[in-house]
């Protein structure tokens, strides 16, 4: 079995050592970087399944590192954020982070979150019952290829954005609750006051653009969640 390669970018040597040891015991191959500049160079030059990126680092902070990674790559990025630092957390999601884990976190929690992201991104783990193609109006999705098109044009989506759009497409015409979206797309229960789903869906709406009548294809259904409408 091929080990998933994880890039861990954080300047806290003690924490990095502990997380690296635990992840390797769990079957991951771990590369570390002590600052953002080195982390970005490795992320863009290596073949990593996921990048774990700390928000506060010397030389290049986590947000700028994420910005540079996203300018050239859609590989999954999991942010490590200070607990309660909502402004930076939301900005990280808006810049394209797939999810976040508040610090201090346990190695078990981080490992579970990494697995949840990878479970939905690795085509080898795709469900056998998944159709080769999903079409809803102008939207076409190829789940096993992780590819999306809108009106015949390729749409560049992050891992989590694709997951969310796939869940909505499979339930097109019906509302899906935020908790179900979090469970199925992020692999975790929706936390209280968590705005991750809203931020990701806002990004998806922007990337897809409006329908001919000016509406978004993703509608908010009061007290029920979100719905991908059929044209």
């Amino acid at each position: 079995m091929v080990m998933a390669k994880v890039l861990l970018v954080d300047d806290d040597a003690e924490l990095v050592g502990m997380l690296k040891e635990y992840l390797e015991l769990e079957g991951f191959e771990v590369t570390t970087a002590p600052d953002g500049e080195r982390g970005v160079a490795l992320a863009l030059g290596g073949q990593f399944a996921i990048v774990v990126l700390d928000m506060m680092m010397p030389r290049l902070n986590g947000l700028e590192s994420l910005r540079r990674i996203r300018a050239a790559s859609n590989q999954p990025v999991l942010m490590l954020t200070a607990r309660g630092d909502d402004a930076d957390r939301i900005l990280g999601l808006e810049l394209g982070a797939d999810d976040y884990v508040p610090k201090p976190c346990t190695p078990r929690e981080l490992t579970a979150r990494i697995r949840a992201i990878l479970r939905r991104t690795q085509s080898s783990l795709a469900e056998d019952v998944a159709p080769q193609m999903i079409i809803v109006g102008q939207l076409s999705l190829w789940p096993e290829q992780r590819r999306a098109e809108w009106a015949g044009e390729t749409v560049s989506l992050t891992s989590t954005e694709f997951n969310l759009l796939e869940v909505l497409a499979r339930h097109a015409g019906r509302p899906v609750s935020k908790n179900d979206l979090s469970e199925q797309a992020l692999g975790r229960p929706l936390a209280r006051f968590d705005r991750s789903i809203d931020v990701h869906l806002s990004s998806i709406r922007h990337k897809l653009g409006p329908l001919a009548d000016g509406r978004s294809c993703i509608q908010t259904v009061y007290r029920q969640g979100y719905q991908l409408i059929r044209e």
Side-chain angles (χ1 to χ4, degrees), residues 90-107:
I90 291 172
L91 182 54
L93 293 171
E94 290 175 339
L95 289 174
D98 289 278
D99 205 355
Y100 65 87
V101 175
K103 293 173 71 176
C105 64
T106 65

Side-chain angles (χ1 to χ4, degrees), residues 30 51 53 57 64 69 71 125 129 137 144 146 150 188 206 219 222 231:
V30 183
V51 178
L53 191 62
M57 292 183 295
E64 183 58 32
I69 291 172
L125 298 180
V129 296
E144 293 189 7
R146 310 288 295 174
W150 178 261
R188 62 177 174 84
H206 176 74
Q219 298 286 303
Y222 181 63
E231 298 176 68

